[in-house]
Amino acid sequence: MDKTIKKHMITYSKIFNRSAFVFAWLLSSSVLLLAQNNNSNYGTISFSFIQIVNGQSALYDTLIYSNNAGNRYEINKVQYFVSEIILHSISGDSVRLSRSAPCHYVDKDYPKTLSWSLPDKILPGKYNYVSFIFGLSKDQNKSYRFRNPPESIMFWPDILGGGYHYMKINIKYLNVNGEISNFNCHLGIGQTKDEHGKIDGFIHNCFSVTLPASSLIIRKGQTSKVEIIMNIEKWFDSPNIIDFNNYHGIMDNQKAMSAICANGKNVFSLIVKE
Amino acid sequence: MSKNDDVAKKRSNIILFFIFNVINVIFFTCSSQTGLIKNSADRPTPYSINVPFFPDSLNIPSDNPMTVEGIELGRYLFYDGRLSGNTNKEQLMTCASCHLQKHSFECGIDHPLYKGGRPHGLTGEETPHVMLPLINLAWINEGYLWNGMISNSNNILGDEKLGVPHEQIYNHKNIESLVWMSIVSPHEICGNIEKTVYTIQNIPMYPPMFKKAFGSDVITMDRINKAIAQFVRSLVSCNSKFDRFMDGKENLTESEMSGLYLFTTERGDCFHCHGSPALPLWTTNSFMNNAKDINFNEPEDRSFVTKNPKDKGKYRVPTLRNIALTAPYMHDGRYKTLDEVLEFYNSGLKRSPYVDPLMINMNHGGMHLLEKDLADLKAFLITLTDSSFITNPKYSNPMPQNEYFIK
């Protein structure tokens, strides 16, 4: 009995090992081949986030800029979220990107946040617009979703509506007396108040930005590169002139946040890189 | 033998073969695990820190994972005055000489030896700054001490002036580094490493403890560093009244709620630097100039580390957890009470180009809150006190009756 079992075991073991190997090889080859075919039928996209002032790369911590209100200022921090990026094709179709993680944090002090390579497989073709939500969209802006810095440090207090700052631009400027002063351009959920000044409601100040991208072509098997450029000075200049002397913090000042959000629609531009 | 019997035999052989295979797989899988299990009696027990509402980005070096035995050994050394390398009762000194549990592991303002909360070493030389609490340090990834000098990006080795060799174990990167530094530093133990290692090696209870923690009863400075660092990382404070409020287990008073409102709105504007329920370490762990002065000549501020002159007067934003227990306040201990601190932020901010732009109240010299508002803010700050932490026996002196252990 022992000998028979041993003999059979050796035979079966050989057959089994060989068959298993051939089967595994066929299976993995087919999967790889299919995956390759699938990937080569689509393209991908990556975004870079660039900050400029008056057409030049932003120079931080240096008192060299002036706004339309005549304030001399320097920029110390630029931190913001974008969410729900959509590509719009000429035919009118749209592709919503990164559905599973539809927001991205940008921080001039964290180089890895300045680019975002999306995993989406995109149908090749011409796309003539890119749109996104500036800040976190209403659906995405939930308190406590980020546990770790740097994103967690963008929290927006629950008392003021919760979620996260859409943006922090921290600025030093010279006030009317020529003294150094601080201005925080912080955007997030706004508040409505009753006659006693008590908060009685919230306003989602996030807004949609649509940028022309006529030369954006997604090609099979290639990654298209797009730069999203923030023209920082435009937050303060048009259509609303923001005089830093008139504000303090603007986080619980819906009127100020609303004026700055209106300017924000003109702040971004886009370049497709070849 | 009939054909049916033959088929049945073949079938049973196939079944047997598969049973053998399954047994084989189980055997090999288990034997690779038994590689771990086999020596489990000799291996220390892994210890993990997990506070669900804290960040999950812990700063634990890969060559010093936390273990139950390592932490216990570290606790003994933390309290044993012979860490100084001395057995003479007059010259005992160890971590617990200054880091008192009742003060969130700071020395506190009422310490009988360190007047005004400013500790000094065995030589009498004062530390450059007052102390920071030893709590929740496992979550600091931005550098330790007031200026962040001890950080993973620091590549300095040893200390030439103090005769510490340029060797990897004497790096300046993490809590482990702070242990050997405390032993040689003139404003702390002012000892030498060989003497400390020799002294600890010759205390009978320690070699078996090192064996349990590190698999060897040979005592080295590296192992002493690692054991104490493990204990320090285990000092977790996450059970304040405010934590229980967030968990729905306790209510805040009207005054405490008003304080929370002031803290997390632009009226007080404390939250940008010191956190909120969404940043429950109650600090951003960043380095900021908070408008205390106009001239900045202190040599060991943040600019000492970054070499950037714009960082003058910047110091770590300390955690507000247990803040009521950790007077004196600021890097130089200039404020003795929370009331003095609040009054500074209310009306004492000084304008200078070095002040962090987040300090928008600098524009007007302070928050300008009413007396009642300040009382509410203080009431809220006190809700961040974790009484269970300062009485937790896991963190206390393991041998209070031992004459060498610091009371």
Side-chain angles (χ1 to χ4, degrees), chain B residues 13-283:
Chain B
N13 284 346
I14 291 171
I15 290 165
L16 270 172
F17 166 69
F18 278 107
I19 290 170
F20 268 108
N21 259 357
V22 169
I23 291 169
N24 248 355
V25 168
I26 293 169
F27 173 77
F28 281 113
T29 314
C30 288
S31 65
S32 61
Q33 284 176 354
T34 48
L36 291 174
I37 296 163
K38 205 170 111 185
N39 297 323
S40 64
D42 301 330
R43 287 174 184 249
T45 318
Y47 180 94
S48 64
I49 311 176
N50 181 24
V51 182
F53 55 98
F54 276 15
D56 51 22
S57 48
L58 291 164
N59 182 359
I60 300 175
S62 57
D63 66 348
N64 191 22
M66 294 175 71
T67 65
V68 172
E69 294 79 2
I71 292 167
E72 186 65 356
L73 170 60
R75 181 180 166 211
Y76 274 71
L77 295 167
F78 188 93
Y79 283 96
D80 192 335
R82 293 167 292 187
L83 189 73
S84 60
N86 301 310
T87 49
N88 174 347
K89 303 277 167 50
E90 303 305 310
Q91 291 186 299
L92 298 176
M93 192 174 197
T94 186
C95 316
S97 301
C98 306
H99 294 279
L100 310 187
Q101 185 178 8
K102 68 176 179 177
H103 287 301
S104 201
F105 290 98
E106 275 192 21
C107 77
I109 202 158
D110 56 352
H111 196 287
L113 288 178
Y114 310 124
K115 300 292 177 206
R118 189 65 171 262
H120 58 75
L122 285 173
T123 60
E125 187 175 329
E126 281 192 341
T127 54
H129 301 137
V130 298
M131 303 177 78
L132 281 163
L134 297 185
I135 60 165
N136 302 336
L137 297 196
W139 284 272
I140 293 185
N141 289 281
E142 297 80 1
Y144 294 100
L145 303 182
W146 280 100
N147 58 14
M149 182 180 85
I150 304 302
S151 83
N152 287 318
S153 59
N154 188 337
N155 292 319
I156 295 172
L157 296 175
D159 190 322
E160 206 170 332
K161 278 185 200 161
L162 300 173
V164 181
H166 287 234
E167 290 172 14
Q168 193 55 43
I169 63 161
Y170 301 119
N171 63 48
H172 296 224
K173 289 184 180 296
N174 216 313
I175 301 170
E176 286 78 357
S177 323
L178 292 166
V179 179
W180 69 260
M181 286 176 172
S182 303
I183 285 166
V184 296
S185 170
H187 52 255
E188 295 186 57
I189 290 171
C190 198
N192 73 68
I193 286 164
E194 291 75 21
K195 197 175 160 195
T196 290
V197 171
Y198 178 83
T199 306
I200 301 296
Q201 181 80 59
N202 285 287
I203 299 169
M205 73 176 174
Y206 282 120
M209 291 179 82
F210 276 81
K211 173 94 175 160
K212 277 187 184 172
F214 297 110
S216 167
D217 55 12
V218 176
I219 294 171
T220 63
M221 193 62 229
D222 185 40
R223 289 177 182 146
I224 293 173
N225 293 339
K226 285 177 172 168
I228 295 178
Q230 286 188 42
F231 173 64
V232 170
R233 286 194 184 95
S234 78
L235 302 173
V236 176
S237 174
C238 59
N239 185 32
S240 64
K241 179 178 182 181
F242 191 79
D243 295 318
R244 294 191 295 279
F245 164 71
M246 288 300 291
D247 206 18
K249 292 175 178 161
E250 201 160 341
N251 291 320
L252 297 188
T253 65
E254 199 176 316
S255 172
E256 291 162 348
M257 282 301 289
S258 299
L260 171 65
Y261 179 88
L262 291 163
F263 190 94
T264 55
T265 60
E266 295 283 72
R267 287 191 66 197
D269 195 29
C270 315
F271 63 96
H272 277 115
C273 311
H274 281 293
S276 79
L279 207 64
L281 295 172
W282 294 98
T283 171

Side-chain angles (χ1 to χ4, degrees), chain A residues 1 4-5 8-10 12-13 16 60-62 74 76-77 143-144 146-149 152-153 155-160 163-165 168 170-173 175 179-184 186 193 197 199 247-252, chain B residues 9-10 12-14 16-18 20-21 50-57 142 246 257 260-262 264-267 269 271-272 275-279 284 308 310 351-364 366:
Chain A
M1 179 67 179
T4 321
I5 290 170
H8 280 301
M9 270 182 66
I10 292 164
Y12 288 131
S13 158
F16 178 77
Y60 298 104
D61 304 325
T62 313
E74 68 178 48
N76 304 109
K77 292 265 182 210
S143 295
Y144 311 101
F146 298 112
R147 280 177 71 185
N148 295 320
S152 61
I153 294 175
F155 70 89
W156 187 265
D158 288 338
I159 285 165
L160 298 178
Y164 293 83
H165 285 71
K168 292 182 192 174
N170 296 349
I171 279 174
K172 293 182 187 180
Y173 70 99
N175 69 11
E179 298 164 320
I180 198 82
S181 300
N182 293 335
F183 173 74
N184 291 337
H186 290 192
K193 293 176 181 170
I199 295 169
Y247 299 96
H248 200 47
I250 61 166
M251 286 182 65
D252 53 8
Chain B
K9 193 177 175 184
K10 274 184 182 170
S12 69
N13 284 346
I14 291 171
L16 270 172
F17 166 69
F18 278 107
F20 268 108
N21 259 357
N50 181 24
V51 182
F53 55 98
F54 276 15
D56 51 22
S57 48
E142 297 80 1
M246 288 300 291
M257 282 301 289
L260 171 65
Y261 179 88
L262 291 163
T264 55
T265 60
E266 295 283 72
R267 287 191 66 197
D269 195 29
F271 63 96
H272 277 115
S276 79
L279 207 64
T284 52
N308 181 352
K310 287 181 183 291
R351 190 187 298 265
S352 88
Y354 298 100
V355 173
D356 195 279
L358 280 175
M359 297 284 299
I360 49 169
N361 286 321
M362 176 200 78
N363 295 358
H364 307 296

Side-chain angles (χ1 to χ4, degrees), chain A residues 7-64:
Chain A
K7 197 176 159 191
H8 280 301
M9 270 182 66
I10 292 164
T11 315
Y12 288 131
S13 158
K14 279 181 184 169
I15 294 167
F16 178 77
N17 284 344
R18 213 170 290 159
S19 314
F21 174 76
V22 171
F23 177 71
W25 181 78
L26 280 173
L27 187 72
S28 59
S29 303
S30 316
V31 169
L32 283 171
L33 201 67
L34 275 170
Q36 206 174 29
N37 281 342
N38 275 343
N39 282 339
S40 64
N41 284 334
Y42 296 95
T44 55
I45 193 164
S46 75
F47 293 96
S48 301
F49 297 90
I50 300 195
Q51 285 67 243
I52 66 172
V53 182
N54 303 326
Q56 305 288 319
S57 290
L59 191 59
Y60 298 104
D61 304 325
T62 313
L63 196 67
I64 53 170

Side-chain angles (χ1 to χ4, degrees), chain A residues 132-255:
Chain A
F132 59 86
I133 300 291
F134 176 74
L136 292 169
S137 62
K138 190 177 174 184
D139 289 345
Q140 297 300 321
N141 199 12
K142 306 292 181 203
S143 295
Y144 311 101
R145 67 173 289 174
F146 298 112
R147 280 177 71 185
N148 295 320
E151 290 91 339
S152 61
I153 294 175
M154 294 289 280
F155 70 89
W156 187 265
D158 288 338
I159 285 165
L160 298 178
Y164 293 83
H165 285 71
Y166 305 151
M167 176 175 76
K168 292 182 192 174
I169 296 182
N170 296 349
I171 279 174
K172 293 182 187 180
Y173 70 99
L174 295 180
N175 69 11
V176 287
N177 300 320
E179 298 164 320
I180 198 82
S181 300
N182 293 335
F183 173 74
N184 291 337
C185 184
H186 290 192
L187 294 176
I189 291 178
Q191 309 81 35
T192 56
K193 293 176 181 170
D194 65 16
E195 65 271 26
H196 307 293
K198 204 173 167 191
I199 295 169
D200 62 2
F202 298 111
I203 299 166
H204 288 267
N205 283 316
C206 56
F207 55 88
S208 179
V209 175
T210 302
L211 302 171
S214 54
S215 57
L216 175 57
I217 301 171
I218 301 291
R219 294 186 170 88
K220 282 183 184 177
Q222 291 185 21
T223 299
S224 300
K225 293 184 167 59
V226 172
E227 287 181 355
I228 292 181
I229 298 158
M230 178 192 275
N231 300 269
I232 297 174
E233 79 282 3
K234 292 190 177 180
W235 284 108
F236 315 119
D237 284 347
S238 172
N240 301 301
I241 292 175
I242 306 296
D243 184 341
F244 301 149
N245 290 292
N246 295 340
Y247 299 96
H248 200 47
I250 61 166
M251 286 182 65
D252 53 8
N253 181 345
Q254 175 54 22
K255 199 176 163 192

